[in-house]
Amino acid sequence: MLDQNAFDLRKYISRNPQSVAVWIALIVLIAFGLMRYDNFGSAYNITSFLNYNAMFIAISVGMCFVILTGGIDLSVGSVAAFTSVVAAYLSPYGIEVAMPLAILSGVAFGLFNAICIVYLRIPPFITTLATMLGAKGGSLVISGAQTISVDWGSNFTKLGMEKAFDVVPWTIVLVAILVVALWIVLEMTSIGRTILAVGGGEDASVMMGLKVNRAKIFAYALSGGCAGLAGVFLASGFGAGQPLEGVGWELSAIASVVVGGTLLTGGLGSIPATVAGALLLGLVFNILNFENGKGWISFSAYWQMVIRGAFLFAVILFQTRVMNRNTVVGQG
C-alpha cells in the first residue's frame, strides 16, 4: 500500500547527500569515454554494457534493502549460481516455468536467512556465510560441477537473446521494471519506511510499534529473489547454468551499495544511487577494455582489479568529504 506522503525530489536529495559523489563520478566517466573512444556511445556498446550488468544491478538493489536494515547478505553470488542451474534444468518447460521457479528458489534461500537471523538470533554475517557455502555446494552437487546447457528449442533463451519490440533486450526491460518497483517500495510504502527506520535504530523502531521482524524478513527474501533473477539472467545470457559463477558477486553488490552512498550501518540510502554505483563499477571495466583496444596501454586483469580498487577508494573518499561538508553546514 502506497504511503500518503508523495515523493519529494528535494527531500530525496537532501536526505541522500552522499549519493551526489556517485552521480558526479558516473557523469564524468561517461563524458570521458565519449570524448576518448569512437564507439563508446554506440548502441551496440550501450546495449551490451547494460545487458551484461543487469544481473549485477539486480543483486545490488536487493542487497541495498538488506544493508538498509543494518544487515548483510553474503550468499547472493552463490544463490545466483544455484538458481542459474535450476533455470537451466527447467528451461525445457519454457520461460513461464523456469523463471518463476528459479526466482522462488532464491526467495527460499532468503527466507532461510531471515528465519535464522530474526528468530534464531544468528548474526547475519554468520548466517549468510553458511548459506553462501550451502548454495555453492548445492549447485555443484546437482550439476556435477558441470555447466548445464539450457534447452535451445524452448522459449527460455529469448530472455537473453531477443529484444522487446526489436529495440531493447528483455533483460534490460526486466531489470528496469525491477528497479522502478523497488524504488517505489522503498520511497513510497510503509514497509520501505519501516526498513529505513529499522536501520536507523532497531530498538527505537520496536518502541514505536513498527513491525521490525516483518521488515527484515521482507528484505532478506527480496535479496534472495533478486539473486534468483540474476541467476535467470546468467543462464539465459550464457545459454547454460553456471555453478562455478557468482564468486565475489556479493562483494561487488556490497561495493555498489556503498559507492551509491548507502550506510553500512543502515537507515540511509537509495535505489537509484545503488544502480548508479553498479553502473559505475561496470563502467570502469568497460573503459579499461576500450583502453586495451586502442593498443596504447594494455592492462592485465590483475591491473584492472587494482585500478578498480583505487577508483572505488577515490569515490568513497570524495563521498565522505561531501557528507562531512553537509554535516558541518547542517550544524552551522
Side-chain angles (χ1 to χ4, degrees):
M1 182 177 178
L2 294 180
D3 195 279
Q4 293 180 346
N5 296 322
F7 175 72
D8 188 322
L9 180 60
R10 286 179 299 179
K11 186 185 294 183
Y12 171 81
I13 294 175
S14 64
R15 204 180 67 195
N16 300 279
Q18 74 287 356
S19 67
V20 172
V22 67
W23 288 112
I24 292 175
L26 189 61
I27 292 170
V28 169
L29 215 54
I30 291 173
F32 172 79
L34 290 173
M35 289 188 293
R36 182 162 172 77
Y37 311 111
D38 294 335
N39 297 320
F40 185 80
S42 67
Y44 175 79
N45 183 54
I46 294 173
T47 302
S48 300
F49 171 76
L50 292 176
N51 205 20
Y52 178 74
N53 283 282
M55 50 193 177
F56 296 108
I57 292 173
I59 62 172
S60 296
V61 293
M63 179 71 79
C64 182
F65 273 76
V66 170
I67 290 179
L68 282 173
T69 66
I72 198 80
D73 188 352
L74 300 179
S75 66
V76 290
S78 296
V79 170
F82 183 92
T83 56
S84 76
V85 173
V86 172
Y89 271 123
L90 296 175
S91 62
Y93 300 99
I95 189 69
E96 304 87 351
V97 174
M99 188 164 80
L101 291 182
I103 293 174
L104 284 175
S105 68
V107 172
F109 278 108
L111 286 174
F112 175 80
N113 286 333
I115 291 170
C116 293
I117 292 166
V118 172
Y119 296 111
L120 302 182
R121 302 293 180 186
I122 302 174
F125 183 89
I126 302 299
T127 298
T128 57
L129 180 63
T131 307
M132 177 182 76
L133 297 173
K136 176 59 71 179
S139 64
L140 291 171
V141 168
I142 64 175
S143 67
Q146 302 294 322
T147 57
I148 306 300
S149 296
V150 302
D151 184 352
W152 291 90
S154 73
N155 63 359
F156 181 77
T157 53
K158 289 183 179 179
L159 179 62
M161 304 296 178
E162 296 188 3
K163 296 181 178 179
F165 310 109
D166 294 327
V167 178
V168 182
W170 280 107
T171 304
I172 298 176
V173 173
L174 288 180
V175 82
I177 293 173
L178 175 71
V179 168
V180 172
L182 295 190
W183 177 52
I184 292 173
V185 169
L186 184 62
E187 298 291 338
M188 303 183 191
T189 68
S190 58
I191 195 163
R193 295 181 185 281
T194 301
I195 285 172
L196 290 169
V198 170
E202 186 169 339
D203 293 339
S205 299
V206 172
M207 294 178 66
M208 291 168 63
L210 297 178
K211 297 177 180 178
V212 173
N213 288 347
R214 189 185 69 166
K216 286 186 173 182
I217 292 171
F218 177 83
Y220 281 97
L222 179 66
S223 180
C226 288
L229 181 61
V232 173
F233 289 164
L234 177 64
S236 62
F238 289 86
Q242 307 278 349
L244 298 176
E245 281 291 333
V247 177
W249 286 19
E250 63 282 347
L251 298 181
S252 294
I254 293 169
S256 298
V257 175
V258 172
V259 168
T262 299
L263 297 181
L264 277 174
T265 52
L268 183 64
S270 75
I271 295 300
T274 297
V275 175
L279 293 176
L280 185 65
L281 294 179
L283 202 56
V284 175
F285 256 138
N286 192 236
I287 283 182
L288 289 174
N289 287 332
F290 267 94
E291 195 64 40
N292 286 342
K294 289 179 76 73
W296 294 357
I297 305 173
S298 181
F299 296 107
S300 68
Y302 305 131
W303 274 109
Q304 289 194 23
M305 292 177 65
V306 173
I307 293 171
R308 288 186 80 197
F311 185 77
L312 180 64
F313 177 79
V315 171
I316 292 176
L317 183 64
F318 180 53
Q319 201 177 63
T320 304
R321 293 181 67 85
V322 170
M323 287 191 67
N324 289 341
R325 172 179 291 185
N326 188 70
T327 302
V328 171
V329 170
Q331 290 173 346

